[in-house]
Short mmCIF file of all heavy atoms in Angstrom, two decimals:
data_model
loop_
_atom_site.label_atom_id
_atom_site.label_comp_id
_atom_site.label_asym_id
_atom_site.label_seq_id
_atom_site.Cartn_x
_atom_site.Cartn_y
_atom_site.Cartn_z
N GLU B 1 -11.26 26.82 -17.33
CA GLU B 1 -10.28 26.07 -18.11
C GLU B 1 -10.95 24.88 -18.80
O GLU B 1 -11.86 24.28 -18.25
CB GLU B 1 -9.15 25.57 -17.20
CG GLU B 1 -8.25 26.68 -16.68
CD GLU B 1 -7.09 26.12 -15.87
OE1 GLU B 1 -7.13 24.90 -15.57
OE2 GLU B 1 -6.16 26.87 -15.55
N ARG B 2 -10.44 24.57 -19.97
CA ARG B 2 -10.94 23.40 -20.66
C ARG B 2 -10.29 22.17 -20.07
O ARG B 2 -9.07 22.06 -20.00
CB ARG B 2 -10.63 23.49 -22.17
CG ARG B 2 -11.17 22.31 -22.96
CD ARG B 2 -10.76 22.44 -24.42
NE ARG B 2 -11.44 23.54 -25.07
CZ ARG B 2 -12.68 23.49 -25.56
NH1 ARG B 2 -13.38 22.37 -25.42
NH2 ARG B 2 -13.20 24.53 -26.14
N GLY B 3 -11.09 21.21 -19.60
CA GLY B 3 -10.57 19.99 -19.00
C GLY B 3 -10.04 19.05 -20.05
O GLY B 3 -10.15 19.29 -21.26
N PRO B 4 -9.37 17.89 -19.60
CA PRO B 4 -8.87 16.92 -20.58
C PRO B 4 -10.01 16.30 -21.36
O PRO B 4 -11.13 16.21 -20.87
CB PRO B 4 -8.15 15.87 -19.71
CG PRO B 4 -8.81 16.00 -18.37
CD PRO B 4 -9.15 17.45 -18.22
N ALA B 5 -9.71 15.87 -22.57
CA ALA B 5 -10.73 15.24 -23.39
C ALA B 5 -11.30 14.04 -22.65
O ALA B 5 -10.56 13.25 -22.05
CB ALA B 5 -10.15 14.81 -24.73
N SER B 6 -12.60 13.91 -22.67
CA SER B 6 -13.26 12.89 -21.87
C SER B 6 -12.80 11.50 -22.22
O SER B 6 -12.65 10.64 -21.36
CB SER B 6 -14.78 12.98 -22.06
OG SER B 6 -15.11 12.84 -23.43
N GLY B 7 -12.46 11.21 -23.47
CA GLY B 7 -12.06 9.87 -23.86
C GLY B 7 -10.65 9.54 -23.44
O GLY B 7 -10.39 8.50 -22.86
N ASP B 8 -9.68 10.47 -23.69
CA ASP B 8 -8.28 10.18 -23.47
C ASP B 8 -7.96 9.96 -22.01
O ASP B 8 -7.34 8.99 -21.61
CB ASP B 8 -7.41 11.31 -24.04
CG ASP B 8 -7.59 11.43 -25.54
OD1 ASP B 8 -8.10 10.45 -26.14
OD2 ASP B 8 -7.26 12.48 -26.10
N GLY B 9 -8.38 10.92 -21.16
CA GLY B 9 -8.03 10.83 -19.75
C GLY B 9 -8.62 9.60 -19.12
O GLY B 9 -7.97 8.88 -18.37
N ALA B 10 -9.87 9.31 -19.41
CA ALA B 10 -10.53 8.18 -18.77
C ALA B 10 -9.89 6.88 -19.22
O ALA B 10 -9.67 5.96 -18.42
CB ALA B 10 -12.01 8.17 -19.13
N SER B 11 -9.51 6.76 -20.48
CA SER B 11 -8.92 5.53 -20.98
C SER B 11 -7.59 5.27 -20.33
O SER B 11 -7.27 4.15 -19.92
CB SER B 11 -8.74 5.62 -22.50
OG SER B 11 -10.00 5.77 -23.13
N GLY B 12 -6.77 6.33 -20.18
CA GLY B 12 -5.46 6.16 -19.55
C GLY B 12 -5.59 5.69 -18.13
O GLY B 12 -4.88 4.78 -17.67
N ASP B 13 -6.50 6.30 -17.37
CA ASP B 13 -6.69 5.93 -15.97
C ASP B 13 -7.17 4.51 -15.86
O ASP B 13 -6.71 3.73 -15.02
CB ASP B 13 -7.70 6.88 -15.31
CG ASP B 13 -7.11 8.28 -15.18
OD1 ASP B 13 -5.89 8.41 -15.31
OD2 ASP B 13 -7.91 9.23 -14.96
N ASP B 14 -8.13 4.15 -16.77
CA ASP B 14 -8.67 2.81 -16.70
C ASP B 14 -7.60 1.78 -17.01
O ASP B 14 -7.51 0.73 -16.36
CB ASP B 14 -9.82 2.66 -17.71
CG ASP B 14 -11.04 3.46 -17.26
OD1 ASP B 14 -11.07 3.84 -16.08
OD2 ASP B 14 -11.95 3.68 -18.11
N LEU B 15 -6.76 2.13 -18.03
CA LEU B 15 -5.70 1.19 -18.38
C LEU B 15 -4.70 1.03 -17.24
O LEU B 15 -4.24 -0.08 -16.93
CB LEU B 15 -4.98 1.65 -19.64
CG LEU B 15 -5.78 1.51 -20.95
CD1 LEU B 15 -5.01 2.17 -22.08
CD2 LEU B 15 -6.04 0.04 -21.25
N ALA B 16 -4.35 2.16 -16.61
CA ALA B 16 -3.39 2.10 -15.51
C ALA B 16 -3.95 1.28 -14.36
O ALA B 16 -3.27 0.45 -13.75
CB ALA B 16 -3.05 3.51 -15.04
N THR B 17 -5.23 1.51 -14.05
CA THR B 17 -5.85 0.76 -12.95
C THR B 17 -5.93 -0.71 -13.26
O THR B 17 -5.63 -1.56 -12.43
CB THR B 17 -7.26 1.32 -12.70
OG1 THR B 17 -7.15 2.71 -12.39
CG2 THR B 17 -7.92 0.60 -11.53
N THR B 18 -6.34 -1.00 -14.51
CA THR B 18 -6.46 -2.39 -14.92
C THR B 18 -5.11 -3.10 -14.86
O THR B 18 -4.99 -4.23 -14.38
CB THR B 18 -7.03 -2.48 -16.34
OG1 THR B 18 -8.28 -1.83 -16.37
CG2 THR B 18 -7.19 -3.93 -16.78
N GLY B 19 -4.05 -2.41 -15.33
CA GLY B 19 -2.72 -3.01 -15.30
C GLY B 19 -2.25 -3.30 -13.89
O GLY B 19 -1.71 -4.37 -13.59
N THR B 20 -2.47 -2.34 -12.99
CA THR B 20 -2.03 -2.52 -11.61
C THR B 20 -2.78 -3.66 -10.95
O THR B 20 -2.20 -4.52 -10.26
CB THR B 20 -2.26 -1.22 -10.82
OG1 THR B 20 -1.53 -0.18 -11.44
CG2 THR B 20 -1.78 -1.38 -9.38
N SER B 21 -4.09 -3.69 -11.16
CA SER B 21 -4.90 -4.75 -10.56
C SER B 21 -4.48 -6.11 -11.09
O SER B 21 -4.41 -7.09 -10.36
CB SER B 21 -6.39 -4.51 -10.87
OG SER B 21 -6.81 -3.28 -10.35
N GLY B 22 -4.16 -6.17 -12.38
CA GLY B 22 -3.75 -7.43 -12.97
C GLY B 22 -2.44 -7.94 -12.38
O GLY B 22 -2.29 -9.13 -12.08
N MET B 23 -1.50 -7.00 -12.20
CA MET B 23 -0.21 -7.40 -11.63
C MET B 23 -0.36 -7.91 -10.21
O MET B 23 0.25 -8.90 -9.79
CB MET B 23 0.77 -6.22 -11.67
CG MET B 23 1.20 -5.85 -13.10
SD MET B 23 2.34 -4.46 -13.12
CE MET B 23 3.74 -5.18 -12.27
N ILE B 24 -1.20 -7.21 -9.44
CA ILE B 24 -1.43 -7.64 -8.05
C ILE B 24 -2.07 -9.02 -8.03
O ILE B 24 -1.71 -9.91 -7.25
CB ILE B 24 -2.30 -6.62 -7.31
CG1 ILE B 24 -1.53 -5.30 -7.15
CG2 ILE B 24 -2.73 -7.17 -5.96
CD1 ILE B 24 -2.35 -4.18 -6.55
N GLY B 25 -3.03 -9.22 -8.93
CA GLY B 25 -3.70 -10.52 -8.99
C GLY B 25 -2.74 -11.65 -9.33
O GLY B 25 -2.75 -12.72 -8.73
N LEU B 26 -1.88 -11.39 -10.33
CA LEU B 26 -0.90 -12.40 -10.71
C LEU B 26 0.07 -12.71 -9.60
O LEU B 26 0.46 -13.86 -9.35
CB LEU B 26 -0.14 -11.93 -11.97
CG LEU B 26 -0.95 -11.91 -13.28
CD1 LEU B 26 -0.11 -11.28 -14.39
CD2 LEU B 26 -1.38 -13.32 -13.67
N GLY B 27 0.47 -11.67 -8.86
CA GLY B 27 1.39 -11.86 -7.74
C GLY B 27 0.78 -12.72 -6.65
O GLY B 27 1.42 -13.63 -6.10
N LEU B 28 -0.48 -12.43 -6.32
CA LEU B 28 -1.17 -13.21 -5.30
C LEU B 28 -1.32 -14.65 -5.74
O LEU B 28 -1.15 -15.61 -4.94
CB LEU B 28 -2.55 -12.60 -5.02
CG LEU B 28 -2.54 -11.25 -4.27
CD1 LEU B 28 -3.95 -10.68 -4.19
CD2 LEU B 28 -1.97 -11.44 -2.86
N ALA B 29 -1.65 -14.88 -7.01
CA ALA B 29 -1.80 -16.25 -7.51
C ALA B 29 -0.49 -17.01 -7.43
O ALA B 29 -0.44 -18.19 -7.02
CB ALA B 29 -2.31 -16.20 -8.96
#
């Protein structure tokens, strides 16, 4: 099977991770 495009999937995951980490950081602060 052809996997997801290397750029799209990675960017989405990175954005989701970054957003979650940011929210947790703001909450702790």
